[in-house]
Amino acid sequence: MGYVDQSAMYNSYQPSLYVDHAEMEPFYGQEQLSYAVPQPFTTEQFKVPRPQVRMFGQERLDVQTLPPPHMSPSIALNNQDMMLDMQEMHEGAVLLNIKTRFQRELIYTYIGSILVSVNPYRMYNIYGTDMVLLYKGHALGENPPNKLNALTNSLFIIPKVLFCFFYLLFSGESGSGKTEATKLVLRYLAAIQHTSNIAQQVCTSPLMESFGNAKTVRNDNSSRFGKYIEVFLEKFFNSYLLEKSRIVFQAKDERNYHIFYEMLAGLPSQQKRAFYLQDAETYYYLNQGGDCGITGKNDAEDYRRLVAAMEILHFAAEDQASIFRVLASILHLGNIFFQRHEVCIWFVILFDVVSPLCALACFFGFRDAVAKILYSLLFHWLTEKINSQVYPHQHTLSISILDIYGFEDLTFNSFEQLCINYANEYLQFFFNRIIFREEQEEYSREQVLWQDIPFSDNQPCIDLVAAKPHGILRILDDQSCFPQATDHTFLQKCHYHHVHNPLYIKPKMPTPEFGIKHYAGRVTYQVCFHVIFVHLHNYFQDSIKF
Ligand SMILES: Nc1ncnc2c1ncn2[C@@H]1O[C@H](COP(=O)(O)OP(=O)(O)OP(=O)(O)O)[C@@H](O)[C@H]1O
């Protein structure tokens, strides 16, 4: 799902397409962007964007100027629910169809079993009970795709028949609407599956969002962890890939995880005093991004919702107090500063750090590593706790929903972006395998006549990042075992092993960076991985138990 969704990239033609984010900016400017659920839509407020098309690796094209010579007037004038029904299928036609539908407030379009969604940043009145009833029990394509219900429902019917497991995969760049789509699907499932404990299902989302979401420059409520939800008769979360760097560092205009600000805004003053807590602006771990508030978000109100959710999920008062105590200690930890004369010999000896200059940096690294581990253990404990409440005792049929954060190319890309983009690269690989490779293999097996559909196989990129023994992440792993290793030695090893790989870009100047040609575009990664801290992190991860 993307701006126009990344699914729009999933076409058989190269180069791929997407509608440029920046061009939509005036459409959803800050004043119109509401933090959680946008206000009801009115036609007067609706500004139609002029989507632009980017062909990867080529210059930009405007939808208006895309060559329409082969486009029949019917395509230009009508809109097609199901893109496969279009008589003429090419990039211009696909985009024009999506745009025409978007202007008519139709944000969902089918491409076979794929649902393309354009984020309207306005809540349309299409998610009510009447719609649930309209879609319930109907197969994909029987109703217009004006809801995610159709797709969800098709999965929901099939498992009952086939007794196997099905997946919904949300994909798209940051801010495209994956998390909202996940929630809509869950709400739909909760509405049609009365055996579930609906109160618990609804409550887990705000809880997980407080601890796992944060404001970024792209999305005020960006998920900074991957979520894998299995809907049995109950809901089961499996979370991973929590963005740990955010706990100790935030870029300009970004925030730490919502929970810290919500806690400081909403905690009763007596409890706040007991934890020696002050306002958010006074904490180094919370004030690096600048503004500690988000327009349209009431942190105190969200704190109250969070506590209510904890009550419904049977969190004991003692557990709740412990959670806030751990959060408070992370904030206090962040305000500890070291000066050079305080360098301790034991630390230098313990980690075999030879240079005293390096030791000071190590103290900060040590402090940050402990903070990150504390938070990630708390987060892990929380998901375990939620799962123990809602996980089914016996396995039944399930629908799995995966919602991870989208592909990122920021001004400064580091280790976290490498992990995020690798995960997205892998999802693209998975998609290619299902849609192209396995389908074509089946045609061959059944000797069905078919025309070879070329697609860009991204296996080489996955190998570059992670294959044994010299994938970039493997090199990082190896290097983190050596206390003497540095970012420089790591980078030299990457250059040495991959300089001839066409997907790897070695900078012309001796700058501490490397580039990768991903399926969605080139990304330059600044090597500020702090290899030594990865070593420290591994050390403390093993030492601290919750
Ligand atoms: N279907 C929708 N209708 C109306 N507004 C939406 C819809 N989907 C998303 N939005 C708006 O877009 C914002 C960003 O969406 P969301 O958080 O789901 O993006 P995301 O793809 O999960 O981003 P990230 O990868 O950063 O987590 C939401 O806060 C909401 O305001």
Side-chain angles (χ1 to χ4, degrees):
M1 196 158 292
Y3 217 92
V4 160
D5 178 303
Q6 276 191 2
S7 324
M9 292 192 269
Y10 301 150
N11 62 67
S12 53
Y13 306 101
Q14 289 300 321
S16 309
L17 300 173
Y18 79 98
V19 174
D20 188 60
H21 212 277
E23 292 302 319
M24 310 288 270
E25 199 78 25
F27 166 59
Y28 66 89
Q30 280 302 315
E31 70 288 355
Q32 293 188 33
L33 176 74
S34 110
Y35 161 71
V37 180
Q39 296 307 305
F41 167 81
T42 64
T43 319
E44 295 75 53
Q45 289 172 309
F46 192 78
K47 293 190 210 157
V48 178
R50 245 167 71 96
Q52 293 214 340
V53 181
R54 175 171 296 167
M55 320 274 262
F56 285 119
Q58 298 189 5
E59 82 281 18
R60 256 167 193 219
L61 293 174
D62 193 310
V63 171
Q64 325 280 357
T65 60
L66 275 179
H70 310 299
M71 199 180 297
S72 66
S74 64
I75 291 181
L77 294 175
N78 295 324
N79 64 78
Q80 290 283 354
D81 282 351
M82 174 61 89
M83 220 116 50
L84 295 183
D85 290 343
M86 284 170 37
Q87 288 169 354
E88 293 159 38
M89 181 67 93
H90 51 80
E91 292 146 359
V94 167
L95 276 152
L96 195 59
N97 188 40
I98 291 173
K99 185 190 168 195
T100 311
R101 291 176 61 73
F102 184 57
Q103 287 170 336
R104 295 178 187 185
E105 304 168 23
L106 302 168
I107 58 171
Y108 297 114
T109 309
Y110 295 124
I111 307 182
S113 59
I114 302 162
L115 193 67
V116 177
S117 160
V118 185
N119 186 347
Y121 282 89
R122 287 276 180 276
M123 194 48 85
Y124 294 160
N125 188 20
I126 52 174
Y127 305 106
T129 320
D130 49 337
M131 284 294 178
V132 170
L133 294 175
L134 181 66
Y135 280 81
K136 188 177 173 185
H138 289 275
L140 188 75
E142 282 182 35
N143 277 314
N146 55 346
K147 271 180 72 49
L148 287 160
N149 293 358
L151 196 64
T152 317
N153 204 48
S154 71
L155 295 181
F156 209 66
I157 292 168
I158 299 165
K160 283 186 178 157
V161 181
L162 298 181
F163 286 88
C164 47
F165 296 90
F166 280 80
Y167 294 90
L168 273 177
L169 184 87
F170 297 110
S171 168
E173 63 183 355
S174 181
S176 56
K178 300 179 294 294
T179 304
E180 291 301 319
T182 306
K183 288 191 278 186
L184 288 167
V185 165
L186 285 172
R187 268 170 48 189
Y188 177 69
L189 288 176
I192 61 170
Q193 187 61 353
H194 299 294
T195 41
S196 359
N197 183 334
I198 295 170
Q200 284 190 335
Q201 291 210 353
V202 172
C203 281
T204 51
S205 296
L207 193 63
M208 294 306 292
E209 281 185 16
S210 284
F211 282 86
N213 288 23
K215 178 188 174 196
T216 67
V217 284
R218 290 194 147 206
N219 181 359
D220 282 1
N221 188 32
S222 184
S223 312
R224 310 314 294 164
F225 69 110
K227 285 212 263 297
Y228 177 69
I229 305 170
E230 259 183 296
V231 182
F232 295 91
L233 292 180
E234 306 290 346
K235 187 164 76 169
F236 175 56
F237 266 112
N238 192 358
S239 68
Y240 54 93
L241 209 71
L242 177 76
E243 187 186 47
K244 294 190 197 115
S245 63
R246 182 165 299 274
I247 297 147
V248 299
F249 170 78
Q250 306 92 47
K252 189 172 176 314
D253 295 329
E254 301 208 347
R255 294 209 313 179
N256 205 323
Y257 289 100
H258 294 326
I259 184 61
F260 290 109
Y261 307 89
E262 290 170 1
M263 174 181 78
L264 294 176
L267 212 60
S269 48
Q270 194 190 354
Q271 214 170 344
K272 221 170 146 183
R273 266 198 308 277
F275 295 149
Y276 301 99
L277 286 172
Q278 298 170 27
D279 291 338
E281 287 74 16
T282 57
Y283 294 102
Y284 176 67
Y285 281 166
L286 302 187
N287 62 16
Q288 295 168 57
D291 194 353
C292 287
I294 299 179
T295 319
K297 174 166 159 54
N298 183 336
D299 284 324
E301 186 54 40
D302 287 341
Y303 169 83
R304 281 185 280 280
R305 277 200 358 232
L306 173 87
V307 173
M310 285 181 174
E311 298 290 336
I312 292 173
L313 289 166
H314 307 297
F315 279 65
E318 207 175 281
D319 283 346
Q320 291 183 31
S322 302
I323 291 173
F324 295 123
R325 199 170 297 121
V326 172
L327 293 172
S329 32
I330 292 172
L331 294 183
H332 292 310
L333 203 57
N335 277 4
I336 298 176
F337 283 86
F338 302 97
Q339 288 181 343
R340 189 157 296 165
H341 67 266
E342 290 174 6
V343 171
C344 293
I345 299 303
W346 66 264
F347 189 77
V348 175
I349 294 166
L350 181 60
F351 295 104
D352 198 17
V353 177
V354 284
S355 154
L357 285 176
C358 185
L360 187 62
C362 279
F363 278 118
F364 286 105
F366 170 83
R367 178 197 67 183
D368 291 348
V370 173
K372 287 196 259 187
I373 291 162
L374 275 177
Y375 191 84
S376 58
L377 286 174
L378 175 64
F379 190 77
H380 182 71
W381 174 85
L382 206 64
T383 47
E384 295 281 300
K385 176 98 182 152
I386 290 173
N387 286 336
S388 69
Q389 293 288 333
V390 297
Y391 190 61
H393 297 299
Q394 54 184 32
H395 282 234
T396 51
L397 302 171
S398 75
I399 295 174
S400 305
I401 306 171
L402 178 67
D403 173 22
I404 65 162
Y405 29 22
F407 189 84
E408 288 186 350
D409 181 10
L410 312 176
T411 340
F412 184 88
N413 302 296
S414 191
F415 178 61
E416 305 277 0
Q417 277 66 44
L418 182 63
C419 293
I420 291 170
N421 292 345
Y422 172 63
N424 278 279
E425 193 76 57
Y426 214 92
L427 282 186
Q428 176 70 11
F429 171 77
F430 181 69
F431 185 90
N432 285 346
R433 206 180 66 193
I434 304 287
I435 298 293
F436 297 109
R437 202 181 284 174
E438 289 185 4
E439 199 75 10
Q440 297 192 19
E441 278 168 12
E442 192 177 330
Y443 288 171
S444 297
R445 263 198 317 277
E446 295 181 1
Q447 298 183 341
V448 174
L449 279 180
W450 58 284
Q451 198 187 343
D452 187 25
I453 300 172
F455 67 94
S456 161
D457 188 353
N458 63 344
Q459 176 78 60
C461 189
I462 287 171
D463 292 345
L464 167 64
V465 179
K468 280 183 185 170
H470 298 309
I472 291 170
L473 292 177
R474 304 282 171 187
I475 297 175
L476 184 64
D477 264 355
D478 286 350
Q479 289 281 294
S480 65
C481 297
F482 300 111
Q484 313 284 354
T486 62
D487 284 348
H488 180 73
T489 58
F490 162 71
L491 186 62
Q492 291 314 311
K493 285 221 178 301
C494 290
H495 288 343
Y496 175 78
H497 288 292
H498 300 298
V499 67
H500 299 302
N501 187 328
L503 297 175
Y504 183 85
I505 307 160
K506 183 181 172 193
K508 292 201 173 67
M509 307 295 283
T511 42
E513 59 187 35
F514 64 84
I516 295 182
K517 292 179 194 163
H518 287 284
Y519 79 100
R522 292 170 184 224
V523 179
T524 301
Y525 296 96
Q526 278 74 26
V527 179
C528 189
F529 289 10
H530 300 303
V531 171
I532 180 83
F533 297 145
V534 178
H535 173 66
L536 283 180
H537 189 275
N538 294 343
Y539 178 89
F540 288 115
Q541 181 93 48
D542 294 341
S543 321
I544 302 177
K545 293 274 174 279
F546 229 51

